[in-house]
Amino acid sequence: MPSSPSSLPSALVLLFAVACGLSVANVYYAQPLLDVLGAEFAIGQAGVGLLFGATQAGCALALLLVVPLGDLLERRRLMFVQLLLLVLSLLLVGFAGDTLGLALGLLGLGLLGTAMTQGLLAYAAALAAPGERGRVVGAAQGGVVIGLLLARSLAGLLADLGGWRSVYLVSAASMGGLGLLLWRVLPAAPSNELGLTYRQLLGSMFGLLASQRVLQVRGLLGLLMFAAFGVFWSSLVLLLGAPPYSLSHSAIGAFGLVGALGALGAARAGSLADRGHAQALSGGALLLLLLSWLPLALGTHSLAALILGVLLLDLAGQAIHVLNQSLVFAIDPRAHSRLVGCYMLFYAAGSGLGASAGTAMYAWAGWDAVSLLGAAISLAALAFWWFTRGVGGEARTACANGA
């Protein structure tokens, strides 16, 4: 058994948070650029959401096939290989000359950006002492939230200054520099010593999905919540880029700053869940998610209402995400990489389906249809929580080691 790790320096915790934020941002840079990508590669409004769907397909592959490797292989070497491949994917997108090259590059960004992000979260948890694990993982997850939301703002700004390709070329250089820093600074993480083959490792994930009721329920809640997110964020650029707003990519991306404020407001959800309030908070957050579509529906007439809706949407959504993770990770600390992989599979499916459905609805009937779809998905999530609210207590751990 590995010895208990000592307390992590604050600078190292900050580095984990920054690395998580930069890694996950690569998955979301495309969202505020969907209109310009569609124009350059001759893709219609109904099909442009499929570009982001390719990124989410990469996310799903990473969560199913790559992220679980953190429970099997030495994390530091695994992270460095993934980072090199991520830089190559960024260059493929930045120099894409046709739709196929663009789609393959975005698929790679989804796969490797997700693998890096979730791998870093597991890495931080493995290095942290038991008494500080919540603080360390919480800080790293905070970096994920900020990176996810601010990616839209940064992509919009860089696209206005140097074109959409500059977004991916600048990120390639940044990730290369980050890789050198991580390789020099990060210590080796203790091994789990599970004694599983890769096939057995993947098989144990299906065992977790089949047997753990908490994982099933919280995964489906996450799927519905991220579907509502995907519906909104993929369609927003189409609304704001057209009259009467006709905003620049920088201005559209700035909505990510509003979302970041809402997400930061959800930071205390994890500590409140530790005190036994996870179910009550889940219901309140899901109700807020539903109510956020009231001001969002007014977005064609009022920019202020749209900003308020974004604030409420991200506050509710990130609170649900934190609560889901706090309950899922409690199932078995020995299976952290596999549990996060299983849970985030639901996330990837919800985001991809929501993005595709949102842009299709906008092309068909405009923003009103988008708002109705988002509200319907949020209502379904609230109803599902109500009927499953008794689930969230003890979780069995027998299958965590492949049983």
Side-chain angles (χ1 to χ4, degrees):
M1 295 293 292
S3 58
S4 297
S6 58
S7 180
L8 289 183
S10 297
L12 186 56
V13 176
L14 177 61
L15 177 60
F16 269 116
V18 171
C20 283
L22 290 175
S23 297
V24 78
N26 293 296
V27 182
Y28 290 92
Y29 284 140
Q31 265 193 334
L33 305 176
L34 290 178
D35 60 339
V36 70
L37 291 175
E40 177 154 343
F41 292 93
I43 304 171
Q45 281 188 346
V48 74
L50 295 177
L51 289 177
F52 190 65
T55 306
Q56 295 306 306
C59 291
L61 290 174
L63 295 168
L64 184 61
L65 301 176
V66 182
V67 172
L69 287 171
D71 285 341
L72 191 64
L73 303 179
E74 202 277 309
R75 297 185 191 276
R76 189 166 175 265
R77 293 179 183 273
L78 177 64
M79 177 210 67
F80 193 66
V81 171
Q82 291 171 349
L83 200 148
L84 286 176
L85 294 174
L86 176 60
V87 171
L88 292 177
S89 295
L90 286 163
L91 293 175
L92 178 59
V93 174
F95 291 109
D98 54 32
T99 304
L100 178 60
L102 177 67
L104 289 176
L106 291 175
L107 179 72
L109 291 185
L111 190 151
L112 296 158
T114 300
M116 274 291 296
T117 303
Q118 303 304 323
L120 285 164
L121 283 170
Y123 203 149
L127 290 176
E132 65 169 358
R133 187 160 291 141
R135 176 184 68 86
V136 171
V137 173
Q141 182 60 44
V144 173
V145 172
I146 298 301
L148 185 156
L149 294 170
L150 296 190
R152 304 178 181 104
S153 302
L154 181 59
L157 177 62
L158 289 176
D160 283 343
L161 292 176
W164 70 267
R165 295 179 188 273
S166 69
V167 176
Y168 296 97
L169 298 179
V170 169
S171 182
S174 300
M175 295 306 297
L178 175 67
L180 294 176
L181 180 61
L182 291 174
W183 183 255
R184 292 191 58 175
V185 172
L186 292 187
S191 173
N192 272 335
E193 300 179 358
L194 294 176
L196 299 179
T197 65
Y198 180 61
R199 182 176 180 179
Q200 290 170 332
L201 186 78
L202 297 184
S204 70
M205 290 181 67
F206 291 103
L208 287 167
L209 282 168
S211 65
Q212 297 296 337
R213 181 66 172 155
V214 172
L215 179 59
Q216 295 164 2
V217 169
R218 288 289 154 172
L220 284 171
L221 281 175
L223 185 151
L224 291 169
M225 184 271 291
F226 279 111
F229 261 42
V231 166
F232 172 75
W233 284 109
S234 64
S235 305
L236 180 66
V237 63
L238 303 177
L239 172 68
L240 297 180
Y245 296 119
S246 300
L247 298 181
S248 67
H249 287 101
S250 299
I252 295 172
F255 274 77
L257 298 173
V258 178
L261 292 175
L264 287 174
R268 284 183 53 81
S271 61
L272 292 173
D274 290 338
R275 301 174 191 172
H277 303 303
Q279 287 294 356
L281 283 171
S282 295
L286 287 165
L287 179 60
L288 186 61
L289 184 71
L290 176 59
L291 293 176
S292 71
W293 288 99
L294 291 174
L296 290 176
L298 302 175
T300 53
H301 308 293
S302 171
L303 200 59
L306 195 61
I307 291 172
L308 174 61
V310 171
L311 188 66
L312 297 178
L313 182 80
D314 277 75
L315 173 61
Q318 293 304 325
I320 296 164
H321 188 39
V322 170
L323 292 167
N324 285 347
Q325 287 184 315
S326 68
L327 293 173
V328 167
F329 290 158
I331 294 172
D332 188 349
R334 298 169 298 171
H336 182 267
S337 290
R338 285 165 287 165
L339 285 169
V340 73
C342 289
Y343 168 71
M344 295 299 288
L345 275 172
F346 291 95
Y347 146 82
S351 293
L353 291 171
S356 298
T359 53
M361 289 294 282
Y362 188 89
W364 175 57
W367 187 252
D368 289 343
V370 170
S371 300
L372 285 173
L373 177 61
I377 294 171
S378 302
L379 179 61
L382 180 60
F384 180 72
W385 166 80
W386 176 261
F387 289 112
T388 60
R389 65 189 185 281
V391 178
E394 295 296 323
R396 292 179 291 124
T397 62
C399 66
N401 287 322

